[in-house]
Amino acid sequence: MGDREGAPSVGLAVRNITKVFGAAGAAAVHAVDDLSLDIHRNEFFTLLGPSGCGKTTLLRMIAGLEQPTSGAVLLDDEPLQGLPPFRRPVNTVFQSYALFPHMSVGENIAFGMQMRRLEAATVARKVEEVLALVRLEGLSDRRPSQLSGGQQQRVALARALANQPKVLLLDEPLSALDLKLRKQMRLELKRLQKATGIIFVFVTHDQDEALIMSDRLAVLSAGRILQVGTPEDIYKRPRSRFVADFIGDSNIILGQPKAPDRLALGEAAHLHLAEPLRPEHAGAAELPVAIRPESCRLVNGAALEDNANVFPARVREIEYLGADTCVVLDVAPLRAPITVRLRNVEAEDTVPREGDAVRVSLPAAALRVLDL
Ligand code: ADP
Ligand code: MG
């Protein structure tokens, strides 16, 4: 198949796709704005972004339910342009399960296959197979109204999988479920993706879901992709302030570039960096730097090397979170408070109290210089 060594092969490609709603001019909405994306074969890929950023519009263009204003969608290098939704090897699972209420579970699942005129015996076998896949054996004769929300969601999945699509689009499918069920379905969906090898394009505005489930994810804002990577990549190396804030919690520190490996914090203090500034950053008047609360440390007496970036601080607030405690600090040279997250099993005796004077370390290796 012409795969280059080691490089994962592209299954679904989105090329410079744009969707403008409404008349041109002031009223026009660029729901998706010149967006390109390569999704690999056998990948669990997530589109993560706040409400209104264009996730559903992008899915609908992949499904053929919406025509792009410009740009293309390719599956295994073949453009899908011009194919109506039912001719695309793509199925969608919506948040509202969209099951037929007057049909049994089995009939719901069989429907698409019957429309494609598959033999009755084949349809019956496939219904049993996908019911087993989503762990609903024996419920074929029930009506959707006789099932729990989680079970209805599984029927919607089974129905989509029965069509043996190459791509399954999932538009916030877990958002109607309660937290416990949602957590269970996360693992279930991941298992289903790996068991079938189908490309899953999963849409969510929930960062935890995106981190737990995805092989890779794209962070979207205002119709554009800000960053694509593995969950670890995105969490550890956010490139922009939006991504650093949207995924997990970040402390943002503003500093002025003074040397290739150093930012000034006001008149007297410095922040040492582990890596030299990139050329595009070196000339900036002020740069945002992110550090995760769990990467910050409270330190006592002992002198530490420069790269530890140790500053005197005062405890403004303590937030007890059960497994962790967050200590919010006013740090003398910084304009905004810094939150330090401590694991309670490790820190039981060392959690300070409000008003205490402490010292905080912002290790250079954990600092990420962000794009402006
Ligand atoms: P998301 O799924 O990320 O919440 P959507 O893709 O639904 O975002 O919407 C993206 C933007 O496009 C929003 O500003 C929304 O109001 C607008 N939009 C979506 N569908 C239509 C439509 N049919 N007509 C006009 N505007 C639309
Ligand atoms: Mg949506």
Side-chain angles (χ1 to χ4, degrees):
M1 287 298 293
D3 290 358
R4 265 165 296 148
E5 269 177 49
S9 55
V10 175
L12 180 70
V14 173
R15 293 273 173 266
N16 302 100
I17 209 166
T18 293
K19 180 67 189 184
V20 183
F21 287 113
V29 177
H30 282 68
V32 175
D33 193 1
D34 193 25
L35 184 150
S36 295
L37 190 58
D38 283 338
I39 300 179
H40 305 150
R41 294 206 181 114
N42 193 13
E43 190 165 43
F44 196 120
F45 193 92
T46 298
L47 303 169
L48 172 69
S51 176
C53 73
K55 305 179 297 292
T56 294
T57 305
L58 179 56
L59 281 199
R60 288 174 57 80
M61 289 192 284
I62 295 170
L65 297 166
E66 200 81 71
Q67 291 312 306
T69 307
S70 58
V73 180
L74 295 90
L75 185 58
D76 294 335
D77 299 323
E78 296 290 329
L80 295 181
Q81 179 71 20
L83 289 182
F86 65 91
R87 293 225 181 282
R88 298 187 180 203
V90 176
N91 269 87
T92 308
V93 175
F94 299 96
Q95 178 187 337
S96 61
Y97 317 123
L99 299 175
F100 302 117
H102 58 287
M103 289 185 190
S104 70
V105 166
E107 288 163 348
N108 263 284
I109 296 170
F111 185 76
M113 292 184 282
Q114 285 161 348
M115 294 303 282
R116 286 187 287 126
R117 305 233 159 76
L118 296 191
E119 268 182 59
T122 310
V123 172
R125 186 160 33 81
K126 197 72 201 172
V127 168
E128 289 309 312
E129 192 185 312
V130 292
L131 276 174
L133 199 58
V134 300
R135 299 184 172 157
L136 287 182
E137 297 98 330
L139 295 188
S140 180
D141 296 329
R142 296 258 190 105
R143 290 290 166 96
S145 59
Q146 297 171 306
L147 300 177
S148 70
Q151 287 172 327
Q152 289 182 41
Q153 181 61 271
R154 284 163 199 261
V155 176
L157 272 168
R159 186 175 58 177
L161 292 171
N163 294 321
Q164 293 179 286
K166 288 187 172 169
V167 178
L168 187 64
L169 307 175
L170 301 120
D171 196 353
E172 313 223 17
L174 307 186
S175 51
L177 306 177
D178 64 48
L179 181 63
K180 192 158 179 219
L181 207 49
R182 203 152 74 221
K183 285 187 169 169
Q184 193 185 327
M185 281 304 286
R186 286 173 183 168
L187 303 176
E188 196 76 346
L189 280 176
K190 228 176 123 139
R191 178 187 67 80
L192 275 176
Q193 192 278 320
K194 290 303 164 217
T196 58
I198 295 170
I199 293 174
F200 276 31
V201 184
F202 178 82
V203 158
T204 184
H205 61 265
D206 181 320
Q207 44 149 321
D208 292 333
E209 250 168 53
L211 291 177
I212 290 166
M213 298 171 74
S214 321
D215 292 318
R216 289 188 308 146
L217 62 125
V219 184
L220 274 74
S221 169
R224 290 169 169 267
I225 290 180
L226 296 185
Q227 195 168 347
V228 179
T230 63
E232 196 178 338
D233 253 348
I234 303 257
Y235 188 80
K236 286 195 175 158
R237 288 173 288 278
R239 282 208 295 266
S240 57
R241 201 161 168 160
F242 183 90
V243 174
D245 278 339
F246 197 73
I247 316 248
D249 298 313
S250 288
N251 294 296
I252 305 284
I253 300 162
L254 296 172
Q256 299 86 43
K258 277 285 140 71
D261 60 351
R262 202 150 42 89
L263 300 177
L265 306 169
E267 296 294 302
H270 288 101
L271 197 61
H272 293 270
L273 304 172
E275 286 170 22
L277 287 172
R278 294 196 291 279
E280 71 266 27
H281 287 152
E286 191 165 64
L287 282 172
V289 180
I291 184 166
R292 299 288 183 191
E294 69 271 23
S295 299
C296 303
R297 306 253 173 276
L298 293 180
V299 295
N300 41 38
L304 294 161
E305 74 273 30
D306 272 356
N307 270 1
N309 291 317
V310 176
F311 303 103
R314 191 165 294 278
V315 177
R316 172 198 279 236
E317 212 177 303
I318 303 280
E319 295 165 1
Y320 178 73
L321 302 174
D324 297 345
T325 295
C326 280
V327 181
V328 185
L329 300 171
D330 288 314
V331 183
L334 304 181
R335 276 172 265 171
I338 292 283
T339 299
V340 181
R341 191 168 181 134
L342 306 172
R343 312 266 328 145
N344 284 338
V345 276
E346 292 161 12
E348 213 151 12
D349 306 324
T350 56
V351 175
R353 282 185 237 178
E354 278 175 33
D356 281 359
V358 295
R359 297 204 309 154
V360 63
S361 161
L362 311 175
L367 297 171
R368 298 283 152 222
V369 177
L370 303 175
D371 292 337
L372 289 173

